[in-house]
Amino acid sequence: MPHHLISSAGSDRATAYEMSNKIVRADGRLYLGWLEAARQPGEPTRAMLGVWNLAAAKLAHTMVLGEGSDNHCGPALAMDGGGRLHALVGAHHGPFLYRYSDRPGDPASWSAPEPLGPKDTYPSLVIDASGTLHLAHREQAERWQLWYRRRRPGRPWEPPVSLAISPTPGYNHYMQALALGPTGTLHLVFQFHYAESGRAIDCEGRAIVHLCSPDGGDTWWNEGMRCDALPITIETMRPICHHAAGGVRLGNLVVDAQDRPWLFASVPGHPSGALWRREEGGWAALDLAEPLGGLNAVGGRSSSLSRDAAGHLHLALAADPNRRETRWFDPSHEIHRVVLNAKGELVSHAQVTDTNPASARWLPALEAWDWNRRNVCCADGPWLMYTDGLNAGGIGGNNANTVQTGVYLLKA
């Protein structure tokens, strides 16, 4: 399968953060979002949009959607039913910049950046059948929060609603991800990831929670109970799973034709990770040790989950092909692609990048499934982007580094 080089100036987290969709298909094109590195120390990173011509199998052109402070500032993309492409340029404890275009391949057609703020990170963006934008993201405060925001067609962004709050002051990484089901129900998953010290280096993922909204964000429900008292806390949550000692790392989610959410997570007791799925009697975990051939996902791996029109689930995961337990950004990582049928049975598993222990192939970003664009997106299976290079930022590292990586696109 051809691996198409999209950029050789990617950030060390060029395609990072699975809650932010980076591939939108429309009118014979793919619109691709990634983050490029700062050119010089102290300069901003650049959130890029590329236009890929499907028929010609080449990149037509690229443009800069916005700038960011460091390697956490990649864009989130979503398209409404009228063909308008919406983008949120990520920030890292700063205002997101919201933009849209009816002719996204034309740089002059994009709206002026509209700041949200004040201290946003990690946008997860979806658009419902009415054209309403739904956004979930982390917000820095004394106790870091998970915020939900909504923008109805032709109206300004509504004030944020706090859906969850950290039990301690200081760092919390919710890994929140939104998805829409075929009935229009909003599904949101997140984790509580914190420490008593409030220091990021001490934090552990301890619980995964699912909320849903059947009325477009007006009300939220947690395991059959209406959330009349928001935000959710570690004391009031009804979790999918809870490991008080830590070891939880959440990926994104996808919703099947029965309006059942599926999510990938690394949790204690499942060294290769597990796919959690909502069933009539509650949540069930499908252990991935056999489908993944024993790949090690302990402590969390960069991953991406999507589906196709036939109902197959697609999971892309970065891991050491020698099945070693590693750090989540280890240079040994390669991209593995697993396809399961609607029952969770294995269809195929392949390593889609050649082994090179000196350079991580990681941060997979699958084209997101969209029930409102089911005849266009992922029709023959989702496209995939990934980053080829070394991680320089992170806890204890330099997030504002100038390390450059390769950004690749492939159709598996």
Side-chain angles (χ1 to χ4, degrees):
M1 68 191 76
H3 292 235
H4 307 285
L5 179 65
I6 301 301
S7 173
S8 57
S11 160
D12 67 331
R13 306 233 184 140
T15 55
Y17 308 122
E18 54 261 53
M19 72 283 290
S20 301
N21 181 42
K22 299 167 184 66
I23 304 176
V24 172
R25 191 184 318 205
D27 301 323
R29 302 177 181 89
L30 297 177
Y31 296 101
L32 309 173
W34 72 92
L35 188 67
E36 296 211 329
R39 294 187 177 95
Q40 299 292 333
E43 292 187 0
T45 53
R46 292 154 290 147
M48 306 298 296
L49 183 76
V51 181
W52 179 264
N53 186 308
L54 285 167
K58 67 177 183 179
L59 192 65
H61 60 276
T62 65
M63 65 193 81
V64 178
L65 284 177
E67 296 180 338
S69 59
D70 62 19
N71 60 9
H72 286 61
C73 299
L77 305 176
M79 182 169 279
D80 64 29
R84 173 172 287 181
L85 185 62
H86 302 257
L88 279 163
V89 176
H92 195 193
H93 311 312
F96 288 145
L97 298 178
Y98 166 65
R99 305 186 71 181
Y100 62 87
S101 172
D102 295 322
R103 303 186 311 279
D106 177 6
S109 71
W110 280 85
S111 65
E114 176 188 348
L116 275 68
K119 295 183 178 181
D120 317 329
T121 310
Y122 304 131
S124 185
L125 177 70
V126 296
I127 304 176
D128 67 23
S130 74
T132 296
L133 279 65
H134 303 273
L135 168 66
H137 68 89
R138 188 182 73 184
E139 187 70 14
Q140 186 182 28
E142 180 187 6
R143 296 194 177 210
W144 294 17
Q145 300 177 41
L146 169 56
W147 276 9
Y148 164 74
R149 289 172 167 172
R150 180 171 62 185
R151 184 182 185 272
R152 301 181 189 273
R155 298 172 64 178
W157 285 94
E158 296 177 11
V161 176
S162 179
L163 294 181
I165 189 167
S166 181
T168 59
Y171 190 87
N172 197 318
H173 192 351
Y174 291 101
M175 294 291 292
Q176 73 290 331
L178 272 176
L180 276 162
T183 65
T185 297
L186 277 168
H187 294 271
L188 172 69
V189 293
F190 65 93
Q191 66 181 21
F192 280 107
H193 177 92
Y194 64 94
E196 293 297 327
S197 69
R199 299 193 312 154
I201 198 169
D202 299 330
C203 289
E204 287 280 351
R206 304 169 193 272
I208 299 173
V209 181
H210 170 253
L211 302 182
C212 66
S213 175
D215 51 15
D218 288 339
T219 62
W220 292 90
W221 297 72
N222 177 208
E223 304 305 323
M225 299 292 290
R226 177 168 163 161
C227 303
D228 291 321
L230 290 172
I232 297 285
T233 68
I234 197 78
E235 292 81 20
T236 64
M237 68 173 180
R238 300 175 185 88
I240 297 171
C241 65
H242 186 196
H243 297 271
V248 172
R249 179 79 175 194
L250 176 65
N252 68 320
L253 80 161
V254 68
V255 185
D256 67 18
Q258 287 73 49
D259 211 9
R260 301 178 304 181
W262 295 66
L263 60 95
F264 172 76
S266 303
V267 294
H270 296 279
S272 295
L275 272 180
W276 294 83
R277 57 190 177 189
R278 179 66 184 184
E279 299 180 348
E280 189 172 331
W283 290 89
L286 173 65
D287 188 272
L288 291 177
E290 185 173 345
L292 284 171
L295 291 176
N296 191 290
V298 172
R301 295 291 177 272
S302 59
S303 66
S304 185
L305 184 64
S306 187
R307 75 186 299 273
D308 60 32
H312 291 138
L313 295 165
H314 295 249
L315 173 67
L317 181 74
D320 182 340
N322 295 315
R323 302 172 180 81
R324 294 184 305 122
E325 182 176 337
T326 62
R327 300 169 298 174
W328 74 283
F329 52 83
D330 196 84
S332 67
H333 287 183
E334 302 295 342
I335 304 291
H336 300 258
R337 180 93 170 253
V338 176
V339 181
L340 306 170
N341 66 20
K343 296 180 180 180
E345 300 166 336
L346 180 66
V347 174
S348 64
H349 169 213
Q351 180 178 318
V352 298
T353 54
D354 295 332
T355 300
N356 176 6
S359 179
R361 280 69 174 267
W362 69 315
L363 305 175
L366 287 169
E367 177 187 3
W369 176 256
D370 185 345
W371 279 106
N372 294 314
R373 304 181 68 250
R374 68 189 77 178
N375 296 325
V376 180
C377 79
C378 304
D380 51 351
W383 285 78
L384 169 68
M385 294 174 64
Y386 66 90
T387 300
D388 182 352
L390 299 177
N391 177 61
I395 296 171
N398 176 18
N399 287 321
N401 65 81
T402 58
V403 170
Q404 295 189 347
T405 66
V407 181
Y408 285 88
L409 173 72
L410 75 148
K411 181 69 170 61

